[in-house]
């Protein structure tokens, strides 16, 4: 056996060729990022991954029509307007409410609410307790009250003895609120 020299031993180090360089790290990241980029491109381009999921509200509308006459939009582009949700519910104490959610051409959500619940109860529930009337919008068939509701929301409201129609959307999407209101027949 050889004797070990006294004193501190130098720590073992890798030579320049044996160590990892920044270039090696970049190559490793590139190997990971290329498949991810290809997958995202395939998802968006081939599978229409950014397109909203549409549903058919026909069954829900038929159920609501047994309770009250339902105004349905006519002439909205199927490529631009997507029905994202539809729900019908009977309310304790009388009344029924139909809610249909839309994604408009700008990609923003709008909600169409039709109800036989008293407008004095429905309007504060839908636009918020601090909702204020800020104007009116006239279509060929109706005159809508325009409300500033919860922060960032605008609503168009039409009331008649048998039902109330409320369309709620984003403050900056007034054009699509009016377009939806005009399409109802």
């Amino acid at each position: 056996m050889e004797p070990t020299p006294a004193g501190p031993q130098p720590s073992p180090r890798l030579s320049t060729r044996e160590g990892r360089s920044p270039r090696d790290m970049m190559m490793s990241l590139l190997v990971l990022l290329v498949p991810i980029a290809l997958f995202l491109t395939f998802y968006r381009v081939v599978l229409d991954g950014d397109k909203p999921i549409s549903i058919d509200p026909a069954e829900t509308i038929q159920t609501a029509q047994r309770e009250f006459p339902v105004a349905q939009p006519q002439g909205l582009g199927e490529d631009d307007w997507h029905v994202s949700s539809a729900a019908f519910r009977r309310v304790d104490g009388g009344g029924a409410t139909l809610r249909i959610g839309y994604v408009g051409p700008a990609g923003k959500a709008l909600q169409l609410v039709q109800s036989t619940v008293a407008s004095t109860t429905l309007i504060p529930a839908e636009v918020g307790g601090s909702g204020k009337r800020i104007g009116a919008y006239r279509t060929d068939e109706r005159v809508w009250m325009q409300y500033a509701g919860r922060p960032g929301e605008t609503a168009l409201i039409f009331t008649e003895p048998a039902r109330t129609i409320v369309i709620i959307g984003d403050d900056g999407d007034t054009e699509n609120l009016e377009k939806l209101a005009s399409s109802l027949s």
Side-chain angles (χ1 to χ4, degrees):
M1 273 187 95
E2 292 183 28
T4 57
Q9 295 282 333
S11 61
R13 301 200 179 241
L14 296 175
S15 69
T16 307
R17 299 191 97 202
E18 295 174 320
R20 302 276 185 217
S21 68
R23 181 179 178 274
D24 293 336
M25 186 179 289
M26 292 304 291
M27 292 301 287
S28 297
L29 283 174
L30 188 63
V31 167
L32 292 172
L33 292 177
V34 167
I36 292 171
L38 289 173
F39 174 74
L40 287 175
T41 302
F42 177 78
Y43 176 73
R44 285 184 159 185
V45 175
V46 177
L47 301 178
D48 283 331
D50 291 338
K51 187 176 178 181
I53 297 173
S54 294
I55 65 159
D56 183 10
E59 186 176 325
T60 307
I61 291 171
Q62 287 175 351
T63 303
Q65 284 176 330
R66 293 182 199 129
E67 300 288 327
F68 57 87
V70 174
Q72 296 185 45
Q74 303 296 322
L76 295 177
E78 290 182 20
D79 293 334
D80 297 339
W81 290 83
H82 302 278
V83 177
S84 59
S85 64
F88 174 75
R89 190 174 132 214
R90 287 178 187 80
V91 181
D92 293 337
T97 302
L98 171 66
R99 295 178 186 280
I100 301 177
Y102 290 91
V103 176
K108 296 184 179 179
L110 294 110
Q111 186 173 61
L112 171 63
V113 179
Q114 299 181 57
S115 183
T116 58
V117 173
S119 62
T120 55
T121 304
L122 182 70
I123 292 172
E126 295 300 326
V127 300
S130 62
K132 295 179 185 175
R133 185 173 174 186
I134 58 173
Y137 174 68
R138 183 179 301 275
T139 65
D140 292 337
E141 295 183 30
R142 300 176 179 96
V143 177
W144 297 79
M145 297 178 289
Q146 186 174 7
Y147 272 71
R150 293 179 186 93
E153 288 184 351
T154 299
L156 294 177
I157 300 171
F158 174 75
T159 60
E160 56 188 17
R163 71 172 171 189
T164 301
I165 303 173
V166 181
I167 303 172
I168 304 168
D170 190 43
D171 271 344
D173 202 18
T174 307
E175 180 183 338
N176 285 324
L177 278 171
E178 292 173 355
K179 192 172 189 176
L180 182 56
S182 299
S183 72
L184 293 176
S185 60

